[in-house]
Amino acid sequence: MGEPFDISYVFEYLVKLLPTLKVTLLIVVSSIVIGLGVGFIVALPQLYKIPILRRLSQVYLSFFRGTPILIQLFLFYYGLPEILKLVNVDVAKLPALYFVILTYALHSGAYLAEMIRAAVGAVDRGQVEAAYSVGMTGFQAFTRIVLPQAMAISIPVFSNLVIANLKDTSLAFSLGIMELTGKSQTLAVMSRHFVETYISLALIYFVISFGLEKLFHLIEKKLLRHERRLAAEDKEPRLHKGKTKRFRFIAGPGFGRGGRENEA
Amino acid sequence: MIQLTQIKKSFGRNEVLKGIDLTVKKGEVVAILGPSGSGKTTLLRCLNYLEKPNDGQITIDDFTVNCKRPDKKDIHTLRQKSAMVFQQYNLFKHKTAVENVMEGLVIVKKLPKDEARKKSAELLEKVGLGNKLDAYPSELSGGQQQRVGIARALALNPEVILFDEPTSALDPELVGEVLSVIRKIAKEGITMIIVTHEMGFAQDVANHVVFMDGGVIVEEGKPNEIFNYPKEERTKQFLKRITPEGVYSI
Amino acid sequence: MKLDFAFIWTAFLQLLTAIPTALAITAVSVLCGLVIGTAVAIVRLYKIPVLYQIAASYVTFIRGTPMLTHLLLIYFGLPIIVDGIAEALGLSFRSVSIPMIGFAYLSFSITAGAYMSEVVRSGLLAVNRGQIEAAYSIGMTTSQAMRRIILPQAFSASLPNLSNMIIGMLHGSTLAFTVSVVEINAKAQIVATTNWKFFEAYLAAAIIFWGLTFIIERLTALAEKRFNLYNRGGVS
């Protein structure tokens, strides 16, 4: 099928692949940033139990977690231009990269919304009451007391989501994006050194996700310095019924901090 | 008859049992008292081999295990000769009260199911839970759970039942119901070893009392001797501190 | 935009024929993954020397890399190994005779195994230590305690994770198109290219996945009700 295996190519391709890492990271960073915004918007109706909007956000969550990211990619790539044509916006000429970023943002947004909801829910009710008792407004209580605590709680989940997003970007090649995987496929086909190329590819992903994991771990430690025992408690098996099931899998106990269900 | 010879147990560098010798006669009810950290619970758990002693010898009913290098099969045999009632009840969470009692009969004693069920129902009746056969542990109060635990231990007809602080996890108002069940079965001549903090209960139900401290047996004897005429200074100190509390009369 | 509803229906019907393939990939990878994952979890829980390090690196590597790279590595790497061995042993078997879907089965099982080991591990850890002590105290052997007490409780504790795993592998089955297996995604592409109605075809595919995911979630909820009966609470 290909040329005979030669380990020396692994290093060579590593160097050739590295420049496309910035495309991969561009997709990850921009989709996570947009996704956080989306996540907040989707989580709010659930947190404040706003009647109709709450239903809508449930449908949103259900759709983005109920269909494969690959299908979502194609759906938006082919579907969005047609829908926007209705309102006389022509995006047919827009580079595929925009569609990719949008899809990943909407996809991650669903999981981020769950993360936000769970994290806010996990902050002790007494904390808010204490904030009110010292005369804070609702907004102050949220930004000064709830949010910082919720952020610390959600770091492990966030870490998993970012790494999952990174791994998911390997599918962007299917729309012709020249990120890591896309580039590796061209390289492989041209040189016919398939295995060597894909080993380099896997190595790059591995190093990045490993690095991200360690980085988030450090941040978590920093944010949790006020509460040493919290991290330990989080490891306690708490695998019982609840509405945030999918979320549990991501955050779940014993899952370490590096990945979520493997959608890609 | 149960005989413990030179039982030693360390956790890391911490020697918890420093060579315990103890003999329990058939039908005897032995209460083990002592401050926390004295090794009394560890001793009990060693008897059921939930902790592996580092050294010594355990004999229950002519069956001896050498703790220096025990055989897996020997441990299994030894365990079948004793049954444990836990501080935290440890009922099987996914099984109903009657299933908890049946489990050992069906799986270990290989009794047919319907027979096991009948026997289990009788035992639950005996501990006052005849109307709770199909309740799950999560639906029972602590006292009720502990009574199921006692029925589970009784079902196996062991040579000895080991009670590890059976009432210390219970709310005060539930202690009485469990103690009265233990008292009831004590009268039937079953050999029991009870680790407890309930002094009044120990004095009343036990016919032999062992006082432990710092990993050794300080003093043992008849309840009357230990409670009213203790010889050792440590025993006196301990009793002075603890007696006014926890006296239950039923 | 003229959304061709009739074509969505046509595509939907055609895509239905690809469901068995998708489900087969899901089932094989989840079941094999469960076997691998259980083995790995036990090795890690009991800290068996050497195997422990291998298991840990396996899990770390798989979870640190995309599922797609596993598939590509197996697809291109396995034939080299298989043919090499076959040649050395003088066998006439060659990797060409391995069906395409075989690569997907193998690769996805390896992926699933790593994630499944975490599911199994957390399930086992969720069982209270007192439960196994109680089992020993009534004279059960380790294997009896495992079968009768630990595994049933671990299983019901892991149900939500298992469900996510199954959904993850179902969604992951779409990657099999890269090795020319005609699952739902590949089928959607084929259906779409026949008359260039991509949006409609993928809409149909999305509906199918959404439906399948919904069914898996419902079934899990039912199973949870059935197996978690004992958790219904009450006085404690």
Side-chain angles (χ1 to χ4, degrees):
Chain A
M1 175 156 12
E3 296 289 316
F5 184 76
D6 183 349
I7 191 87
S8 63
Y9 283 101
V10 172
F11 182 72
E12 192 188 323
Y13 292 148
L14 214 54
V15 177
K16 284 192 180 160
L17 283 177
L18 271 179
T20 54
L21 178 60
K22 62 174 186 288
V23 184
T24 297
L25 292 183
L26 173 72
I27 302 174
V28 174
V29 172
S30 41
S31 64
I32 289 289
V33 170
I34 303 171
L36 273 172
V38 174
F40 260 108
I41 296 170
V42 177
L44 284 178
Q46 304 225 358
L47 283 173
Y48 290 99
K49 304 203 163 58
I50 305 167
I52 299 156
L53 287 178
R54 189 169 166 218
R55 271 256 152 255
L56 275 177
S57 85
Q58 273 168 359
V59 173
Y60 178 91
L61 292 180
S62 164
F63 176 79
F64 279 96
R65 305 192 322 176
T67 53
I69 178 83
L70 191 61
I71 299 291
Q72 290 165 17
L73 270 176
F74 286 120
L75 200 62
F76 283 102
Y77 183 65
Y78 293 115
L80 207 58
E82 301 212 29
I83 292 173
L84 288 179
K85 240 187 270 171
L86 287 181
V87 286
N88 282 325
V89 180
D90 186 15
V91 289
K93 296 261 156 52
L94 220 58
L97 186 63
Y98 289 90
F99 293 97
V100 169
I101 291 175
L102 179 74
T103 311
Y104 284 115
L106 293 175
H107 182 80
S108 297
Y111 288 91
L112 288 165
E114 276 292 276
M115 174 192 89
I116 292 163
R117 205 187 57 159
V120 170
V123 175
D124 192 1
R125 175 82 202 143
Q127 297 286 314
V128 185
E129 286 171 1
Y132 287 146
S133 79
V134 298
M136 287 192 192
T137 64
F139 181 75
Q140 285 168 331
F142 186 78
T143 52
R144 304 218 27 103
I145 307 298
V146 177
L147 208 58
Q149 294 189 33
M151 260 167 70
I153 295 170
S154 50
I155 289 288
V157 187
F158 186 67
S159 164
N160 284 337
L161 286 179
V162 173
I163 291 167
N165 184 293
L166 168 77
K167 291 188 284 183
D168 281 351
T169 59
S170 63
L171 299 179
F173 84 92
S174 56
L175 293 187
I177 307 291
M178 274 295 150
E179 41 66 75
L180 281 171
T181 307
K183 177 73 178 174
S184 74
Q185 298 214 319
T186 6
L187 265 181
V189 171
M190 275 182 350
S191 68
R192 312 211 53 75
H193 283 286
F194 291 96
V195 180
E196 295 89 329
T197 325
Y198 294 135
I199 290 177
S200 326
L201 177 68
L203 281 176
I204 296 178
Y205 278 118
F206 182 72
V207 169
I208 305 288
S209 45
F210 197 76
L212 280 173
E213 197 183 315
K214 291 279 161 265
L215 178 73
F216 281 116
H217 201 63
L218 276 178
I219 298 175
E220 188 198 0
K221 252 189 171 160
K222 238 191 172 133
L223 285 175
L224 284 181
R225 61 190 179 279
H226 66 279
E227 172 73 281
R228 291 256 157 77
R229 280 190 6 252
L230 195 64
E233 272 167 21
D234 263 355
K235 290 208 177 76
E236 283 287 309
R238 289 184 305 195
L239 262 178
H240 283 290
K241 308 187 274 191
K243 284 219 78 187
T244 51
K245 283 191 296 185
R246 186 76 56 86
F247 174 77
R248 287 254 169 83
F249 184 86
I250 305 167
F255 277 80
R257 323 204 124 82
R260 116 189 110 162
E261 72 219 271
N262 27 0
E263 276 155 354
Chain B
M1 195 183 72
I2 299 158
Q3 188 151 26
L4 304 180
T5 321
Q6 278 303 304
I7 298 294
K8 287 183 183 146
K9 171 72 186 174
S10 318
F11 294 105
R13 268 196 220 154
N14 184 12
E15 196 175 24
V16 183
L17 298 178
K18 299 171 179 163
I20 302 280
D21 292 305
L22 181 67
T23 307
V24 178
K25 289 194 233 65
K26 207 168 175 67
E28 211 169 27
V29 177
V30 177
I32 303 182
L33 315 175
S36 48
S38 59
K40 51 193 193 312
T41 288
T42 309
L43 180 65
L44 204 68
R45 289 167 60 85
C46 282
L47 254 167
N48 205 224
Y49 242 91
L50 294 174
E51 304 292 352
K52 292 184 183 119
N54 304 103
D55 201 0
Q57 209 171 315
I58 302 174
T59 305
I60 302 180
D61 183 34
D62 299 336
F63 183 82
T64 302
V65 171
N66 180 355
C67 304
K68 210 149 200 168
R69 48 182 128 95
D71 200 87
K72 233 184 181 170
K73 243 166 88 197
D74 291 348
I75 293 176
H76 188 60
T77 314
L78 185 78
R79 273 192 186 134
Q80 293 195 9
K81 293 185 177 296
S82 61
M84 185 96 160
V85 174
F86 295 88
Q87 186 178 354
Q88 299 291 344
Y89 338 128
N90 288 354
L91 295 187
F92 301 126
K93 288 198 287 183
H94 62 311
K95 295 188 180 290
T96 59
V98 71
E99 285 168 351
N100 260 281
V101 183
M102 284 168 67
E103 189 69 11
L105 293 174
V106 174
I107 300 304
V108 180
K109 301 267 183 209
K110 310 285 181 207
L111 241 60
K113 260 198 173 159
D114 44 346
E115 201 178 313
R117 193 179 169 88
K118 202 168 144 251
K119 190 173 174 193
S120 305
E122 283 166 17
L123 282 165
L124 285 171
E125 185 71 50
K126 186 173 180 177
V127 298
L129 292 172
N131 56 341
K132 293 281 185 192
L133 297 191
D134 296 317
Y136 283 99
S138 62
E139 297 167 307
L140 297 173
S141 74
Q144 291 170 329
Q145 289 191 54
Q146 193 57 298
R147 286 188 274 153
V148 177
I150 294 169
R152 179 172 71 179
L154 273 175
L156 300 160
N157 267 334
E159 292 298 318
V160 56
I161 301 183
L162 312 167
F163 292 85
D164 180 14
E165 306 193 16
T167 56
S168 60
L170 292 173
D171 291 337
E173 74 270 19
L174 300 176
V175 170
E177 60 184 68
V178 172
L179 290 186
S180 72
V181 165
I182 300 176
R183 206 182 298 264
K184 187 165 148 193
I185 55 176
K187 290 200 181 112
E188 294 176 8
I190 298 167
T191 318
M192 306 199 290
I193 303 179
I194 308 172
V195 168
T196 183
H197 288 300
E198 306 286 347
M199 293 301 144
F201 171 72
Q203 190 163 9
D204 177 32
V205 86
N207 30 46
H208 192 81
V209 175
V210 174
F211 174 70
M212 279 181 76
D213 193 13
V216 294
I217 293 179
V218 177
E219 189 170 358
E220 57 180 311
K222 294 258 169 275
N224 185 37
E225 293 165 21
I226 301 291
F227 284 106
N228 300 325
Y229 311 103
K231 292 192 199 78
E232 301 291 328
E233 192 52 36
R234 274 194 281 179
T235 319
K236 287 176 193 164
Q237 288 284 329
F238 175 75
L239 289 172
K240 210 189 283 170
R241 253 182 299 141
I242 210 151
T243 331
E245 294 177 282
V247 179
Y248 286 84
S249 48
I250 297 156
Chain C
M1 178 186 69
K2 282 193 302 269
L3 197 56
D4 186 345
F5 282 102
F7 187 69
I8 296 178
W9 180 243
T10 319
F12 184 81
L13 291 179
Q14 292 197 46
L15 290 183
L16 287 181
T17 61
I19 291 182
T21 313
L23 291 184
I25 295 175
T26 310
V28 169
S29 54
V30 166
L31 290 177
C32 295
L34 192 60
V35 174
I36 300 172
T38 307
V40 169
I42 288 171
V43 164
R44 295 186 77 182
L45 281 175
Y46 286 95
K47 299 212 162 56
I48 301 168
V50 190
L51 285 181
Y52 174 74
Q53 276 84 2
I54 297 174
S57 2
Y58 159 67
V59 174
T60 317
F61 177 78
I62 294 294
R63 295 186 4 162
T65 47
M67 188 169 164
L68 181 64
T69 57
H70 313 153
L71 180 61
L72 292 172
L73 278 173
I74 293 285
Y75 182 68
F76 290 105
L78 190 68
I80 298 178
I81 297 167
V82 168
D83 291 345
I85 293 172
E87 222 163 296
L89 297 177
L91 302 173
S92 60
F93 180 83
R94 284 297 176 270
S95 57
V96 201
S97 44
I98 303 174
M100 289 298 188
I101 201 164
F103 291 101
Y105 285 155
L106 179 64
S107 150
F108 293 171
S109 299
I110 291 173
T111 312
Y115 289 89
M116 205 61 112
S117 76
E118 305 283 291
V119 175
V120 175
R121 204 169 75 131
S122 65
L124 290 175
L125 288 176
V127 181
N128 194 300
R129 167 100 203 131
Q131 295 288 313
I132 196 162
E133 288 191 348
Y136 283 150
S137 83
I138 61 167
M140 286 192 184
T141 61
T142 306
S143 78
Q144 284 171 336
M146 206 66 183
R147 244 188 6 258
R148 308 265 323 165
I149 309 299
I150 310 297
L151 288 182
Q153 289 188 29
F155 178 71
S156 44
S158 326
L159 265 175
N161 285 340
L162 271 176
S163 156
N164 288 331
M165 196 67 218
I166 296 169
I167 292 169
M169 291 320 290
L170 172 71
H171 291 183
S173 74
T174 52
L175 300 186
F177 87 97
T178 47
V179 293
S180 320
V181 174
V182 183
E183 41 61 64
I184 298 171
N185 175 48
K187 187 77 183 173
Q189 216 146 24
I190 295 167
V191 173
T193 34
T194 51
N195 48 5
W196 299 98
K197 289 194 193 290
F198 285 93
F199 187 33
E200 285 84 348
Y202 282 107
L203 214 48
I207 292 167
I208 286 179
F209 275 109
W210 204 356
L212 288 174
T213 306
F214 182 78
I215 292 170
I216 295 171
E217 279 177 344
R218 283 297 99 198
L219 288 177
T220 313
L222 277 180
E224 271 194 298
K225 247 201 191 135
R226 164 98 179 63
F227 289 105
N228 278 342
L229 214 58
Y230 62 87
N231 261 333
R232 60 189 164 198
V235 273
S236 67

